[in-house]
Amino acid sequence: MGRRLVPLTLDNLSDLPQRCRSCVFWELDPVSGEAAVKAGRPEVEKEAWISAVLLEWGSCGRVVYVDEVPVGYVLYAPPAYVPRSTAFPTSPVAADAVQLITAWIMPGYQGQGLGRMVVQTVAKDVMRRGFKAIEAFGDARWKEPACVLPADHLLAVGFKTVRPHHAFPRLRLELRTTLSWKEDVEMALDRLLGAVQKEPALRPL
């Protein structure tokens, strides 16, 4: 099974699920987001947001491919680029962290370790850019795929709660104090980006 994570650009934005291409939940503040939806412009606003972040900050996401089929993606950026984050009761995201905005893996490919590899890839990129941590808002009552990631999943891949909340806790993954992360990330990237070869079945997350 050939697996690779490719930087998100305007060229491969079409490989995201349709509902995600037209979703501006995180990219705009609540009022602007509602206005964009009413005006029928959410996809245009999404492209504009990605273009602006790419120009000003650089890569802000990855698309996951398995045997050349897009099966998931992840978005992340400094909190200054994520207007919706200030609307959460557990905001703000720390200044030394990049926000893990959202991620999604196609149902048929879940439980194969791809979610953990996505987080590891983001961690590698964030460390390279000099940030100390990744933070995310979790949904403690998560029941189905949505814009906010399930808190339980974030805890399962190494995040710790830094501001508890009954619905939307804020979680953090320390990068510099977790000594094993760099080695683990390198190994994961070697598997993901190295020569395509058959691998044994991966353990679930």
Side-chain angles (χ1 to χ4, degrees):
M1 182 171 66
R3 295 167 297 169
R4 60 194 183 102
L5 270 66
V6 176
L8 175 65
T9 66
L10 295 179
D11 287 343
N12 60 11
L13 180 59
S14 61
D15 285 341
L16 270 57
Q18 174 59 40
R19 64 182 177 82
C20 299
R21 294 200 301 273
S22 59
C23 176
V24 287
F25 176 86
W26 289 106
E27 292 83 355
L28 299 175
D29 64 78
V31 174
S32 300
E34 185 176 346
V37 172
K38 284 185 177 179
R41 293 176 50 85
E43 289 194 33
V44 174
E45 295 289 351
K46 184 89 163 193
E47 287 190 16
W49 182 86
I50 291 174
S51 178
V53 179
L54 283 170
L55 285 171
E56 296 173 14
W57 186 65
S59 179
C60 58
R62 295 287 189 276
V63 182
V64 184
Y65 296 91
V66 174
D67 294 334
E68 304 307 317
V69 176
V71 301
Y73 78 99
V74 60
L75 275 180
Y76 56 98
Y81 291 99
V82 193
R84 172 71 69 152
S85 66
T86 59
F88 277 73
T90 50
S91 68
V93 170
D96 64 353
V98 164
Q99 182 180 342
L100 178 62
I101 300 172
T102 192
W104 175 83
I105 298 292
M106 190 182 295
Y109 293 86
Q110 294 171 4
Q112 299 179 24
L114 289 174
R116 183 175 294 274
M117 289 184 180
V118 164
V119 173
Q120 290 176 327
T121 301
V122 175
K124 169 75 172 180
D125 188 30
V126 169
M127 283 193 291
R128 181 178 58 80
R129 299 192 201 198
F131 289 87
K132 294 183 178 180
I134 301 169
E135 292 196 2
F137 296 102
D139 184 349
R141 302 177 296 189
W142 188 90
K143 292 180 180 172
E144 60 185 19
C147 298
V148 184
L149 294 169
D152 286 347
H153 175 76
L154 293 168
L155 291 168
V157 295
F159 282 77
K160 292 183 179 179
T161 302
V162 290
R163 191 165 177 195
H165 188 267
H166 67 279
F168 300 113
R170 179 160 52 87
L171 303 100
R172 181 177 173 97
L173 179 66
E174 297 284 352
L175 300 178
R176 297 190 182 282
T177 58
T178 309
L179 299 179
S180 64
W181 260 99
K182 185 170 177 55
E183 182 179 349
D184 290 345
V185 169
E186 295 284 2
M187 290 173 60
L189 287 175
D190 285 345
R191 290 197 301 268
L192 281 169
L193 306 178
V196 175
Q197 58 185 0
K198 294 202 174 215
E199 297 184 10
L202 295 171
R203 291 177 298 171
L205 284 176

